[in-house]
Amino acid sequence: GQQLNQSPQSMFIQEGEDVSMNCTSSSIFNTWLWYKQDPGEGPVLLIALYKAGELTSNGRLTAQFGITRKDSFLNISASIPSDVGIYFCAGLGDNFNKFYFGSGTKLNVKP
Amino acid sequence: DARVTQTPRDKVTEMGQEVTMRCQPILGHNTVFWYRQTMMQGLELLAYFRNRAPLDDSGMPKDRFSAEMPDATLATLKIQPSEPRDSAVYFCASAWDSNEQFFGPGTRLTVL
C-alpha cells in the first residue's frame, strides 16, 4: 500500500515561534488533508488541498500541496499554547477510495 | 450542527465479552470509515463503506471483528470475543465519496 512519512515526530517550541512539518510519499496523491487532534478527541480537519502547487491558509496555518504531488507541508505562524496537539497529514491514494494517514507530529508549545 | 456521533464514548469490558460500537455519520454523507488508534500503531483503517456496501475491510481481523451498516444513519463495529490487545480508541469518520473525512469523538475501549 501507499506509505506516508510524516516528520518531525515531535516538536518542542517556544510560544511565538513558527512551526513547519511535512509529509512525503513515494507515490502520487490526489488530495492532501491536514488534521489536528486534541487529547481525548477525534482529529479535526484544518486544511484540504486538491491541486499540485496549491497553497491554502486557515488563519495562522498555511499548507501546500507539493508540485510533485508526493509531499505536503503545514506551517503554523506565531504559535500559541492552544496549538498543542498532534497534527496528521492524510493523502488520497491513486484509487481515489481511501486516505492514507501519516504517523502524526506531536507539537508542544511552551508559554 | 453537523457532526459524526459515536457511542459509547468509553467502554471497559472483560476479555471474552462482546463489544458493539455505534456511529452516526453526518447526514448526507455516503462513506463511512472505521479507524483504530493506538500509541504504537497510530491510526489504522479497519474498514469502510460506501452507500452502505463494504468496500474494504482488509485492515480488520476477520475472526473477531465485524462491521455493518444496517441503514444510512448507523454504522456498527462489533468485536466478539474481545481481547486485551483490542484496547484502543476506535474512530468513525464520514465523507461524501472521496472528499474530506470528518471524525467522530471516538470510543475508548479497554479490555481487561
Side-chain angles (χ1 to χ4, degrees):
Chain A
Q2 294 176 278
Q3 300 291 327
L4 278 182
N5 296 309
Q6 186 171 351
S7 65
Q9 278 191 319
S10 63
M11 304 180 74
F12 292 82
I13 63 169
Q14 200 76 30
E15 182 177 1
E17 289 183 353
D18 295 344
V19 172
S20 185
M21 59 192 80
N22 70 85
C23 277
T24 61
S25 171
S26 57
S27 305
I28 288 173
F29 285 101
N30 298 293
T31 298
W32 285 96
L33 306 177
W34 283 94
Y35 289 87
K36 183 195 177 197
Q37 186 177 21
D38 291 327
E41 302 293 331
V44 173
L45 183 65
L46 298 173
I47 292 179
L49 303 160
Y50 301 104
K51 293 191 308 186
E54 182 179 353
L55 185 72
T56 297
S57 293
N58 178 4
R60 294 177 295 106
L61 277 61
T62 302
Q64 184 161 25
F65 194 142
I67 288 290
T68 64
R69 295 169 63 194
K70 293 182 179 181
D71 56 9
S72 180
F73 303 85
L74 176 69
N75 296 313
I76 305 173
S77 62
S79 59
I80 59 178
S82 63
D83 291 333
V84 166
I86 302 177
Y87 292 79
F88 290 98
C89 63
L92 181 63
D94 54 12
N95 61 4
F96 283 91
N97 271 329
K98 65 181 181 182
F99 281 90
Y100 296 84
F101 280 79
S103 54
T105 294
K106 188 171 184 179
L107 178 63
N108 298 277
V109 179
K110 188 175 180 182
Chain B
D1 186 22
R3 59 180 70 185
V4 176
T5 58
Q6 289 185 249
T7 56
R9 289 296 310 271
D10 281 280
K11 176 73 176 178
V12 180
T13 191
E14 293 189 345
M15 183 172 64
Q17 296 297 305
E18 177 179 300
V19 174
T20 299
M21 291 169 270
R22 293 177 174 81
C23 167
Q24 183 172 0
I26 291 173
L27 190 64
H29 282 184
N30 67 345
T31 308
V32 175
F33 302 83
W34 282 105
Y35 291 91
R36 176 170 61 185
Q37 186 177 42
T38 61
M39 291 291 291
M40 296 298 293
Q41 299 294 331
L43 267 172
E44 300 174 88
L45 178 65
L46 297 175
Y48 71 102
F49 294 76
R50 180 155 296 149
N51 299 320
R52 295 177 55 201
L55 279 194
D56 186 349
D57 61 1
S58 59
M60 201 166 67
K62 303 290 190 308
D63 56 338
R64 298 182 300 108
F65 285 59
S66 61
E68 295 179 347
M69 280 202 74
D71 62 60
T73 65
L74 177 64
T76 62
L77 179 66
K78 190 176 295 186
I79 308 174
Q80 167 63 20
S82 58
E83 297 180 2
R85 60 179 167 151
D86 300 329
S87 298
V89 181
Y90 290 81
F91 287 105
C92 172
S94 74
W96 172 255
D97 281 349
S98 300
N99 294 307
E100 305 93 334
Q101 296 179 25
F102 294 87
F103 282 77
T107 294
R108 180 176 297 275
L109 174 64
T110 303
V111 183
L112 303 175

